[in-house]
Amino acid sequence: MTAEAVTSRPRIVLDCDPGLDDAIAILTAAHFGELLGITTVNGNVGIEHTTHNALATAQVAGLDVPVHRGAARPLIAPTMDAARIHGATGLGDVTLPGLTRSVASTDAVAFLCDTARSIDDLHLVAVGPLTNVALALRRDPDLRSRLAGLTIMGGGAHAGNVTPVAEFNVWADPEAAAIVFNEAAPLTMVGLDVTHKVLLGGDEAARMRSTGTPAAGFAASLLDFAYARCREFGLEAAPVHDATAIIAVTHPHLFRRSNHPVAVELHGEHTRGMTVTDVRPPAAIAAEAAPPPVHDVVWDADASAVIDLIVEAVVSY
Ligand code: BDR
Ligand code: CA
């Protein structure tokens, strides 16, 4: 991890399920990247809420970004939300203004495929369940080769949050995740190994709020809610998973990573939704008949630099 400056703003489409940390990720992506579009997916809460929240976040920050509504349910798994963490509407206890904008389309998958075809250097960042991305791969099997990068917030080599070994975004639609991990290598897995090291709390909320802008106040309120939920679990600060995944794209030099085969477990009684990451020596992996595809696994970050960047993004509005 070095402290090189970032010289360009990557072009990003953000697939998300806002969600407290998704909303902060939208603000972060639009500040440090060129945010070409937002696609929404069922996840933390239902698709009506995640789509409404994406539109509301863009509106509060004055972002002129199209929002395309996506999948309303997982491919096969039953629908399971994370309203216990994100609140019934997905944005904690924030009172949102009335919407003055509406969705650009209700076909997120078409938008993903079309944008990947028409933009050469597109980074697709997916920070919710992988339903839309799996459906896009089914519609265009060459999707991965059209992208400059595919980064997901999800999974983890040595950690789970919904179960001892499964992370929410993979666990919520494991069949979709399996399609993406199997058919879209290499992807960058920004999993719980790293996101649990980038923790924001009361100090960061105060720094955001001190600017007095509506967007920074909005983000501070989201962070307060996440922080309060985390304290109920005995944690001293809150991971802001999805914004960390954005910084992994815009400031990759701040992260430590290595390449490993990763498989999504679909059948285990106790392990469904686990991202099984093979960290054995290459010779041991080479002896396997058919090892899973190799992905870029992110382990660690210069946490204080990443936190400062997230705050910098939020207070810029
Ligand atoms: C992920 O799950 C969701 O609840 C968050 O928005 C994040 O994308 C963390 O496991
Ligand atoms: Ca999310």
Side-chain angles (χ1 to χ4, degrees):
M1 292 182 281
T2 63
E4 296 160 29
V6 173
T7 52
S8 65
R9 299 172 77 223
R11 292 173 163 190
I12 294 173
V13 168
L14 180 61
D15 186 71
C16 59
D17 60 334
L20 305 167
D21 55 332
D22 303 76
I24 296 175
I26 290 171
L27 302 180
T28 307
H31 180 68
F32 289 118
E34 200 180 325
L35 184 58
L36 301 184
I38 297 170
T39 51
T40 59
V41 66
N42 167 78
N44 286 322
V45 286
I47 190 68
E48 294 302 329
H49 281 308
T50 61
T51 306
H52 184 281
N53 294 344
L55 289 164
T57 301
Q59 183 174 313
V60 169
L63 296 174
D64 185 18
V65 178
V67 174
H68 298 262
R69 189 168 67 215
R73 61 188 63 83
L75 295 185
I76 294 171
T79 301
M80 307 287 275
D81 67 30
R84 196 168 65 100
I85 305 294
H86 295 262
T89 68
L91 291 185
D93 52 9
V94 169
T95 306
L96 295 170
L99 282 185
T100 57
R101 40 180 87 193
S102 53
V103 290
S105 89
T106 56
D107 193 347
V109 172
F111 175 75
L112 291 175
C113 293
D114 292 348
T115 311
R117 270 178 199 277
S118 57
I119 303 285
D120 277 343
D121 52 355
L122 184 68
H123 289 261
L124 174 55
V125 187
V127 298
L130 290 164
T131 321
N132 289 336
V133 183
L135 291 169
L137 278 164
R138 282 291 179 262
R139 197 174 294 186
D140 179 2
D142 294 330
L143 177 74
R144 177 64 189 90
S145 66
R146 303 187 198 285
L147 298 171
L150 171 59
T151 297
I152 69 148
M153 188 285 126
H158 298 312
N161 55 6
V162 183
T163 78
V165 297
E167 179 280 332
F168 177 78
N169 289 336
V170 174
W171 173 86
D173 193 346
E175 281 75 19
I179 289 172
V180 175
F181 276 81
N182 288 338
E183 300 177 20
L187 59 76
T188 295
M189 180 171 85
V190 181
L192 298 177
D193 308 287
V194 58
T195 65
H196 277 173
K197 294 174 180 151
V198 180
L199 303 172
L200 281 70
D203 288 352
E204 286 73 32
R207 282 164 64 194
M208 292 175 182
R209 199 164 265 122
S210 68
T211 64
T213 67
F218 164 71
S221 300
L222 302 179
L223 184 54
D224 284 344
F225 194 90
Y227 181 39
R229 281 289 195 274
C230 286
R231 276 199 305 261
E232 290 171 18
F233 292 103
L235 304 171
E236 284 307 312
V240 185
H241 310 274
D242 298 347
T244 300
I246 297 295
I247 300 294
V249 175
T250 60
H251 298 71
H253 57 285
L254 296 176
F255 294 79
R256 184 172 65 79
R257 59 235 289 160
S258 50
N259 293 331
H260 304 278
V262 182
V264 177
E265 173 61 75
L266 295 178
H267 305 294
E269 183 183 355
H270 302 292
T271 54
R272 182 167 153 82
M274 178 181 183
T275 43
V276 181
T277 305
D278 196 341
V279 297
R280 293 177 296 167
I285 296 169
E288 295 282 343
V294 172
H295 297 289
D296 170 34
V297 177
V298 181
W299 298 100
D300 201 359
D302 179 341
S304 66
V306 175
I307 291 166
D308 283 347
L309 288 168
I310 294 169
V311 174
E312 180 186 327
V314 164
V315 303
S316 71
Y317 293 95

